[in-house]
């Protein structure tokens, strides 16, 4: 069926293109194409919707309001052409094609099955502002770039409910919902939001719709379902018509759920009921429609005392119940081009249905978007530009409350009110205790009067009594066990700490790092290019076995059959303190392929020097000064990587910092692996900080 519709649309538009001239609309004239179900609502709309034919005059009323405002669309005139879609997709597509051929600048309406029509408008790049379309699919701005809607879902309050739960730190709830599409959709949206925020929905139970509910037939089923939820959660959400939720308050009394342990979340979203209560205060939300529960009982009022009600904001100065507007729109409905009967035009005597208000908002907010587009020298036939100018716009809805367009150009109610119950069964009333702003954030404005404090979301022993000992609430053994466990863990931790400290002191006292100078044998491997490894340029030892009696200078030796490098300290002796022993142990323990290994230290009189692993290629300074060594990019990258790895490991160790990083403190072994030298021993460095003359650095 979908393919057939698109084939029809393509064929029709191909035919239309033969006769259509691509000319701009006449300067200053903007034409709207109205596409709405006028005569019939078809099978799509539920029985509580009203046909457009009964409020068609709202279209010219909105257009006249815009044209009479010199600041809204100066130097421009708004007009319209209209087509009855009969709530059929083929009719909507055909009407769109005809209006497109008449050079309309935008489409208003497109209710019922609107996805295909909106997609086609997006392909034409013309803006669409709908007052009826409820499809979730068209919120996808990657596909429907030119679409916006003023149709508000007052029940889209998932963020508001979440705000209440976060405020009171409730994590477990249950839901009973009216089993009709609108409430089912709201329930699914709420459950998805709660799941993302780690709030558990322990149970959900459906209930027959308010239009079919009869107390004599369904009261017992309602009570049984509520009894099931009683054993699953303490926070109960009634996602249903307020009248049906009111019935639940009577049943909560029957089930003993009104003593302060349970919380009931109710909603007032029925715009017709709210408008009636505004005009006739005697029509209290606490007066029932069923004779059995028409008058609020003392038990039911006690249930209400632990109920919170979220209500949308509708002010008395709303457009759809204004008597002057009703009269003007009625006359316009009877006039051309609609020519409706007086019976149709006067069908709504107290207020128009909400869809009439959304129709006014759609036309008016389109004009606001065009105003912004023209002020930026934009193209009013570029639907993407026009709709972008609607996103983020806040406005006063025709229903009287604040509204705004979100990032998908979907209109949302801008404010809800949170009520609690005051009074008693003879004088019941709602009292405002909080508000939700445009960003859906809860602001508590007055104290909530709970029956006995803020209820918990779970019983002390759990819903299955699994958190308490069977037949007893004596926690003595449990507490004793916890205390004993903590004491045992503390004792073990103390013993381990003392043992580690004792072991450390033993290792420090052993002085395993000490080297006997008699075990060091001089080596002939020293090269002049290796001089930068020394802290001075004098030899560590003198060898009288050199030729012609000249002393041989060396900084390389053999210690226990291993070639080592030696660095002499310019001191005759040092004080071996505990801090020095700790530093020596740290050096002895640290091992990494890019750090020079510490072998040991000789601290004999006049022989104070440090032994480290020998690196035959010399220091980085030596390599820089050697013209025979060519440093290509790969070689440099390899050396830099070695340096980074070594410094990263050093910073993560107990030594933490080097303190004297330079080219002469970076050496290269026989495998051309760079190793960092001369780190640690801060205690010795404090005694020896003067750098030797001629020892210079390279930037790395």
């Amino acid at each position: 069926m979908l393919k057939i519709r698109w084939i029809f649309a393509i064929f029709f538009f191909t035919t239309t293109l033969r006769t259509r001239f691509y000319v701009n609309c006449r300067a200053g004239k903007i034409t709207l194409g109205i596409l709405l179900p006028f005569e019939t609502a078809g099978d799509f709309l539920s029985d509580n919707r009203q046909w457009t034919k009964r409020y068609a005059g709202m279209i010219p009323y909105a257009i006249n309001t815009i044209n009479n405002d010199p600041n809204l669309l100066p130097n421009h005139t708004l007009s319209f052409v209209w087509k009855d879609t009969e709530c059929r997709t083929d009719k909507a597509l055909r009407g769109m094609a005809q209006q497109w051929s008449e050079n309309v600048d935008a489409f208003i309406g497109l209710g019922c099955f609107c996805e295909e029509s909106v997609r086609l408008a997006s392909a034409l790049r013309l803006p669409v502002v709908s007052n009826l379309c409820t499809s979730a699919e068209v919120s996808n701005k990657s596909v429907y770039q030119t679409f916006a809607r003023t149709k508000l879902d007052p029940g889209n309050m998932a963020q508001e409910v979440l705000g209440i739960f976060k405020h009171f730190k409730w994590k477990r709830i249950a839901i009973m919902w009216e089993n009709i599409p609108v409430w089912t959709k709201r329930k699914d949206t709420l459950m998805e939001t709660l799941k993302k925020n780690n709030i558990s929905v322990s149970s959900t139970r459906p209930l027959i719709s308010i239009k079919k509910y009869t107390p004599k037939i369904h009261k017992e089923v309602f009570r049984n379902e509520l009894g099931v939820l009683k054993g699953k959660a303490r926070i109960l959400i009634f996602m249903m018509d307020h009248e049906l939720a009111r019935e639940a308050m009577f049943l909560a009394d029957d089930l003993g759920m009104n003593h302060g342990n349970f919380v009931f979340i109710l909603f007032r979203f029925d715009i017709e009921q709210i408008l009636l209560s505004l005009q006739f205060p005697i029509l209290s939300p606490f007066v029932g429609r069923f004779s059995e529960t028409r008058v609020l009982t003392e038990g039911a009022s006690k249930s209400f005392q632990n109920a919170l009600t979220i209500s949308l904001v509708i002010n008395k100065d709303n457009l759809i119940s204004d008597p002057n507007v009703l009269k003007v729109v009625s006359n316009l409905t009877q006039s051309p081009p609609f020519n409706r009967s007086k019976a149709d035009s006067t069908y709504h005597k107290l207020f128009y249905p909400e869809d009439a208000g959304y129709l006014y908002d759609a036309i008016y907010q389109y004009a606001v978007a065009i105003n912004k587009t023209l002020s930026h020298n934009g193209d009013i036939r570029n639907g993407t530009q026009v709709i972008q100018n609607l996103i983020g716009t806040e406005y006063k809805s025709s229903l009287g409350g604040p509204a705004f367009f979100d990032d998908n150009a979907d209109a949302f109610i801008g404010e809800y009110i949170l009520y609690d119950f005051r009074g008693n069964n003879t004088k019941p009333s709602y009292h405002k205790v909080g508000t939700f702003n445009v960003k859906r954030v809860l602001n508590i404005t007055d104290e909530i009067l709970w029956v006995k404090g803020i209820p918990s979301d779970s019983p002390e022993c759990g819903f299955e009594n699994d958190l308490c000992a069977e037949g007893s609430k004596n926690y003595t053994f449990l507490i004793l066990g916890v205390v004993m466990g903590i004491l045992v863990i503390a004792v073990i931790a103390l013993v381990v700490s003392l043992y580690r400290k004792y072991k450390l002191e033993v290792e420090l006292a052993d002085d395993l790092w000490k080297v006997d100078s008699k075990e060091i044998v001089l080596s002939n491997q020293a090269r002049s290019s290796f001089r930068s490894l020394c802290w001075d340029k004098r030899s560590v030892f003198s060898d009288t076995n050199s030729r012609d009696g000249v002393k041989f200078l060396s900084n390389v030796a053999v210690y226990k059959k291993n070639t080592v490098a030696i660095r002499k300290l310019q001191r005759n002796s040092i004080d071996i303190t505990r801090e020095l022993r700790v530093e020596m142990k740290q050096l002895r323990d640290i091992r990494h392929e890019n750090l020079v290994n510490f072998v040991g230290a000789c601290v004999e009189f006049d022989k104070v020097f440090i032994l480290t692993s020998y690196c035959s290629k010399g220091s980085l300074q030596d390599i820089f000064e050697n013209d025979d060594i060519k440093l290509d990019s790969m070689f440099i990258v390899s050396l830099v990587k070695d340096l980074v790895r070594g410094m990263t490991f050093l910073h993560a160790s107990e030594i933490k910092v080097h303190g004297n990083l330079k080219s002469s403190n970076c050496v290269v072994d026989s495998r051309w692996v760079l190793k960092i030298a001369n780190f640690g021993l801060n205690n010795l460095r404090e005694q020896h900080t003067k750098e030797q003359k001629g020892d210079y650095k390279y930037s790395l």
Side-chain angles (χ1 to χ4, degrees):
M1 179 62 71
L2 183 62
K3 292 183 178 179
I4 293 175
R5 288 173 177 172
W6 277 107
I7 292 172
F8 166 79
I10 294 171
F11 171 78
F12 192 88
F13 270 87
T14 302
T15 304
T16 307
L17 281 170
R18 296 173 183 172
T19 58
R20 191 181 191 281
F21 294 98
Y22 290 92
V23 294
N24 292 329
C25 59
R26 189 166 64 250
K29 182 180 180 181
I30 301 174
T31 304
L32 299 180
I34 309 295
L35 295 166
L36 288 169
F38 279 78
E39 291 287 348
T40 177
D43 297 329
F44 180 82
L45 299 180
S46 58
D47 55 1
N48 64 342
R49 298 286 186 92
Q50 305 297 338
W51 301 333
T52 308
K53 68 179 183 178
R54 291 172 174 165
Y55 56 83
M58 188 64 77
I59 299 169
Y61 176 81
I63 289 177
N64 291 340
T65 301
I66 294 167
N67 288 336
N68 292 332
D69 186 343
N71 298 318
L72 186 55
L73 290 178
N75 303 319
H76 289 79
T77 302
L78 205 60
S79 61
F80 74 96
V81 293
W82 68 282
K83 192 73 176 177
D84 184 0
T85 66
E86 300 178 16
C87 231
R88 290 170 50 183
T89 301
D90 59 336
K91 290 274 188 179
L93 291 172
R94 185 174 299 170
M96 182 179 288
Q98 179 180 339
Q99 292 177 353
W100 182 67
S101 67
E102 296 171 2
N103 283 327
V104 297
D105 299 289
F107 299 107
I108 303 293
L110 294 180
C112 310
F113 304 97
C114 52
E115 295 90 347
E116 296 173 35
S117 302
V118 175
R119 185 185 288 267
L120 190 54
S122 181
L124 296 173
R125 298 181 66 199
L126 288 180
V128 178
V129 185
S130 176
N131 68 309
L132 288 180
C133 183
T134 60
S135 170
E137 179 183 341
V138 295
S139 292
N140 183 357
K141 276 292 167 284
S142 64
V143 178
Y144 304 95
Q145 303 96 334
T146 68
F147 176 79
R149 57 179 148 200
T150 55
K151 173 69 178 178
L152 304 173
D153 179 10
N156 188 357
M157 46 42 205
Q159 292 300 322
E160 284 75 11
V161 175
L162 178 63
I164 295 176
F165 293 163
K166 286 185 175 180
H167 181 81
F168 294 109
K169 300 179 180 179
W170 291 328
K171 290 291 185 179
R172 180 186 175 106
I173 61 102
I175 298 174
M176 182 176 286
W177 88 96
E178 187 175 350
N179 195 11
I180 58 176
V182 61
W183 281 109
T184 300
K185 179 182 177 182
R186 293 167 181 172
K187 181 263 300 181
D188 293 341
T189 301
L190 176 60
M191 290 185 63
E192 182 179 350
T193 301
L194 297 179
K195 182 179 179 181
K196 291 179 180 178
N197 288 273
N198 299 317
I199 295 177
S200 172
V201 180
S202 60
S203 181
T204 58
R205 311 297 293 182
L207 189 67
I208 194 170
S209 72
I210 184 65
K211 294 184 179 298
K212 299 178 181 179
Y213 181 81
T214 303
K216 290 183 179 180
I217 300 175
H218 304 108
K219 180 179 179 181
E220 195 61 32
V221 176
F222 199 168
R223 180 189 287 108
N224 292 338
E225 296 289 1
L226 187 56
V228 172
L229 297 187
K230 178 182 178 182
K232 299 293 184 180
R234 288 281 184 87
I235 316 301
L236 306 183
I237 305 178
F238 295 107
M239 303 193 70
M240 56 188 67
D241 186 275
H242 186 269
E243 177 65 32
L244 204 54
R246 179 183 177 278
E247 293 295 303
M249 298 297 99
F250 286 85
L251 300 178
D253 176 38
D254 294 345
L255 294 170
M257 299 172 66
N258 58 358
H259 301 299
N261 294 327
F262 290 85
V263 176
F264 310 108
I265 308 294
L266 284 62
F267 305 95
R268 287 192 74 198
F269 295 150
D270 191 311
I271 295 175
E272 179 177 342
Q273 290 181 7
I274 297 175
L275 287 172
L276 283 172
S277 64
L278 287 174
Q279 295 191 20
F280 305 100
I282 194 174
L283 297 177
S284 166
F286 302 102
V287 177
R289 70 169 68 180
F290 305 111
S291 58
E292 298 91 337
T293 56
R294 184 174 300 280
V295 179
L296 202 63
T297 64
E298 183 177 352
S301 66
K302 193 174 180 181
S303 299
F304 265 112
Q305 288 176 9
N306 254 34
L308 295 176
T309 301
I310 301 176
S311 176
L312 61 86
V313 176
I314 296 182
N315 299 321
K316 290 184 178 181
D317 61 342
N318 64 82
L319 181 139
I320 58 177
S321 64
D322 186 323
N324 295 325
V325 175
L326 286 168
K327 183 177 180 180
V328 172
V329 170
S330 175
N331 291 333
L332 291 173
T333 303
Q334 298 177 57
S335 304
F338 306 112
N339 299 315
R340 306 310 309 177
S341 66
K342 185 175 182 180
D344 280 342
S345 65
T346 59
Y347 180 85
H348 301 289
K349 296 179 173 57
L350 298 177
F351 49 80
Y352 283 116
E354 59 191 271
D355 289 340
Y358 300 147
L359 177 58
Y360 176 90
D361 289 343
I363 298 172
Y364 194 89
Q365 293 307 314
Y366 166 77
V368 171
I370 292 300
N371 179 287
K372 294 180 181 179
T373 304
L374 292 172
S375 67
H376 292 92
N377 296 319
D379 181 3
I380 65 171
R381 293 176 63 84
N382 186 325
T384 303
Q385 286 185 18
V386 174
I387 299 305
Q388 282 296 317
N389 285 324
L390 273 183
I391 291 176
T393 299
E394 298 182 18
Y395 64 98
K396 182 180 179 181
S397 168
S398 58
L399 305 183
F404 71 99
F405 288 99
D406 68 2
D407 291 340
N408 296 319
D410 292 334
F412 276 83
I413 289 286
E415 186 179 0
Y416 290 90
I417 294 177
L418 182 65
Y419 293 111
D420 75 351
F421 178 87
R422 300 293 167 96
N424 51 41
N425 59 305
T426 58
K427 291 184 178 180
S429 65
Y430 273 134
H431 179 76
K432 185 170 78 170
V433 293
T435 59
F436 300 89
N437 62 18
V438 174
K439 295 183 179 179
R440 329 296 287 276
V441 177
L442 172 62
N443 176 35
I444 297 295
T445 58
D446 200 356
E447 180 184 4
I448 298 174
L449 300 184
W450 303 103
V451 173
K452 55 178 184 180
I454 300 174
S456 170
D457 59 3
S458 299
E460 182 181 359
C461 292
F463 290 95
E464 304 296 334
N465 203 37
D466 52 342
L467 301 180
C468 299
E470 185 175 355
S472 174
K473 294 185 178 180
N474 189 346
Y475 296 100
T476 303
F477 292 106
L478 176 61
I479 296 173
L480 183 60
V482 171
V483 172
M484 290 299 295
I486 294 174
L487 288 176
V488 170
I489 293 173
V491 170
I492 293 174
L494 179 61
V495 171
V496 171
S497 176
L498 292 175
Y499 174 74
R500 288 180 176 176
K501 185 175 181 181
Y502 168 76
K503 187 177 179 181
L504 173 62
E505 295 301 326
V506 171
E507 290 181 2
L508 293 178
D510 285 344
D511 289 340
L512 299 177
W513 50 270
K514 281 188 178 181
V515 173
D516 188 345
S517 63
K518 295 178 181 179
E519 296 184 86
I520 301 173
V521 181
L522 298 180
S523 173
N524 293 328
Q525 296 184 28
R527 303 180 304 175
S528 60
S529 63
F530 200 63
R531 66 186 182 278
S532 62
L533 286 175
C534 298
W535 287 358
D536 58 48
K537 295 185 175 60
R538 294 173 293 175
S539 64
V540 177
F541 297 108
S542 294
D543 189 353
T544 56
N545 294 326
S546 58
R547 227 175 15 177
D548 300 328
V550 178
K551 291 183 179 181
F552 178 77
L553 304 180
S554 174
N555 59 2
V556 180
V558 176
Y559 173 68
K560 292 184 178 181
K561 298 182 180 181
N562 292 315
T563 303
V564 295
I566 299 176
R567 293 179 180 269
K568 190 176 189 305
L569 275 65
Q570 291 182 335
R571 294 177 62 89
N572 292 330
S573 65
I574 60 173
D575 295 329
I576 303 177
T577 63
R578 185 182 186 280
E579 289 76 13
L580 179 61
R581 285 190 169 98
V582 171
E583 290 181 347
M584 291 295 186
K585 183 181 183 302
Q586 290 176 349
L587 282 178
R588 197 169 183 272
D589 291 344
I590 193 170
R591 289 289 185 271
H592 189 268
E593 62 176 344
N594 296 116
L595 298 180
V596 169
N597 290 335
F598 173 75
V599 176
C602 180
V603 292
E604 299 173 9
F605 181 77
D606 201 29
K607 292 180 180 178
V608 181
F609 45 84
I610 297 171
L611 282 67
T612 60
S613 56
Y614 171 66
C615 294
S616 60
K617 299 300 182 183
S619 71
L620 201 56
Q621 175 182 324
D622 298 328
I623 293 174
F624 288 160
E625 292 177 344
N626 193 335
D627 296 335
D628 295 332
I629 299 177
K630 304 301 183 184
L631 299 178
D632 58 21
S633 58
M634 292 296 291
F635 189 19
I636 294 173
V637 169
S638 176
L639 293 176
V640 172
K641 284 184 177 179
D642 290 341
L643 178 60
V644 171
R645 282 193 288 264
M647 289 303 297
T648 301
F649 183 84
L650 190 64
H651 288 164
S653 70
E654 293 180 347
I655 296 175
K656 300 298 182 185
V657 296
H658 189 290
N660 192 25
L661 184 62
K662 56 185 177 180
S663 58
S664 61
N665 285 334
C666 300
V667 296
V668 181
D669 66 9
S670 59
R671 298 180 296 113
W672 292 100
V673 175
L674 184 143
K675 296 177 181 289
I676 300 169
N678 273 354
F679 52 84
L681 295 178
N682 294 329
N683 190 270
L684 286 181
R685 292 181 188 277
E686 290 176 359
Q687 305 173 31
H688 177 72
T689 57
K690 183 179 180 182
E691 292 187 358
Q692 300 302 308
K693 294 181 179 180
D695 192 11
Y696 58 94
K697 305 174 184 177
Y698 283 95
S699 297
L700 299 179

